[in-house]
């Protein structure tokens, strides 16, 4: 019968432990979720928590945005945000009601760990009863509201636990719209830093 010397057994044991550890580490890396997925309804619910948004524009219009409707456009890579719109003017006691729809490109903001919009634009504005000359001015001002509100306020802020998995810290490496979902592609944070 063949017997192994104690140093050979120890090297074999160390090699087996090292191989097992490497296999476990590799399998844990494979288990890292590929992405976080958000539906339009999830984004809409988070945005609704911070509404209504009220702004006074040039002392001419008191504008209120409420009840968001979010849509994801995978073809254009844009998120559309529609709102019920109310406008009051100091010249009239009447409230003008309608709707406005903006769209923007989703962006992940690393310092705030949030999804924001950039390159916003007005897609549609409907406001019954607004005089024609005031409509053009309101569209210009609404563009400023979109820039100042939608580009500076997050649609969704990630919780720290959403970027942790099995003791590993994850980091976003991309953001995309696929079908009816907004996806944040993930990787291990230490793999991205290299």
């Amino acid at each position: 019968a063949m017997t192994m010397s104690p140093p050979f057994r120890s090297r074999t044991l160390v090699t087996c432990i090292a191989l097992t550890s490497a296999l476990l580490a590799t399998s844990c890396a494979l288990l890292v979720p590929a992405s976080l997925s958000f539906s339009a309804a999830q984004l809409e619910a988070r945005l609704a928590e911070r509404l209504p948004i009220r702004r006074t524009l040039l002392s001419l219009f008191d504008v209120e945005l409420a009840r968001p409707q979010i849509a994801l456009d995978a073809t254009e890579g844009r998120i559309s945000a529609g709102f019920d719109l109310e406008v009051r003017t100091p010249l009239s006691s009447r409230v003008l009601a309608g709707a406005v729809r903006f769209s923007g490109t989703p962006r992940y903001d690393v310092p705030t760990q949030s999804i924001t919009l950039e390159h916003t634009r007005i897609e549609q504005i409907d406001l019954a009863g607004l005089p024609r000359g005031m409509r053009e001015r309101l569209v210009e001002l609404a563009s400023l509201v979109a820039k100042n509100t939608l580009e500076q306020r997050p649609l969704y802020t990630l919780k720290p636990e959403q970027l942790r998995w099995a003791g590993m810290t994850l980091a976003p490496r991309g953001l995309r719209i696929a079908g009816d979902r907004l996806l944040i592609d993930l990787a291990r944070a230490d793999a991205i830093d290299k």
Side-chain angles (χ1 to χ4, degrees):
M2 192 170 141
T3 59
M4 290 194 246
S5 66
F8 182 73
R9 275 187 278 186
S10 230
R11 281 188 299 229
T12 304
L13 181 60
V14 168
T15 303
C16 285
I17 290 172
L19 283 172
T20 303
S21 296
L23 285 172
L24 283 173
T26 302
S27 65
C28 283
L30 294 175
L31 295 177
V32 171
S35 61
L36 292 173
S37 175
F38 302 95
S39 68
Q42 288 173 298
L43 297 173
E44 195 172 286
R46 281 290 174 96
L47 185 57
E49 292 171 3
R50 294 186 303 277
L51 293 177
I53 297 170
R54 294 178 180 97
R55 296 280 186 267
T56 299
L57 306 173
L58 297 177
S59 302
L60 292 175
F61 302 103
D62 291 324
V63 176
E64 180 178 299
L65 302 176
R67 292 175 287 290
Q69 305 95 40
I70 299 292
L72 304 173
D73 182 350
T75 304
E76 296 291 323
R78 295 179 74 79
I79 295 177
S80 173
F83 299 92
D84 288 352
L85 172 67
E86 286 188 358
V87 177
R88 293 171 184 81
T89 64
L91 306 172
S92 170
S93 60
R94 140 181 130 150
V95 175
L96 305 174
V100 63
R101 180 163 294 282
F102 305 100
S103 75
T105 306
R107 179 179 80 81
Y108 183 76
D109 184 61
V110 175
T112 62
Q113 294 185 328
S114 60
I115 300 164
T116 62
L117 294 179
E118 62 183 0
H119 311 296
T120 57
R121 64 181 182 228
I122 292 182
E123 300 293 343
Q124 178 182 353
I125 187 165
D126 296 316
L127 199 59
L130 188 66
R132 186 175 198 161
M134 293 181 90
R135 186 184 192 304
E136 291 173 10
R137 187 67 180 147
L138 182 61
V139 168
E140 287 176 32
L141 294 172
S143 293
L144 291 174
V145 169
K147 274 217 176 300
N148 294 332
T149 301
L150 295 175
E151 290 187 6
Q152 294 174 4
R153 286 183 184 224
L155 283 177
Y156 191 100
T157 301
L158 296 178
K159 296 175 185 162
E161 59 268 18
Q162 288 177 291
L163 295 174
R164 304 272 309 151
W165 183 262
M168 291 181 282
T169 301
L170 304 175
R173 60 180 172 90
L175 194 113
R176 61 193 164 90
I177 298 172
D180 63 348
R181 310 293 291 181
L182 175 67
L183 302 174
I184 298 177
D185 295 322
L186 300 172
R188 288 182 25 201
D190 60 349
I192 290 176
D193 293 337
K194 292 179 182 178

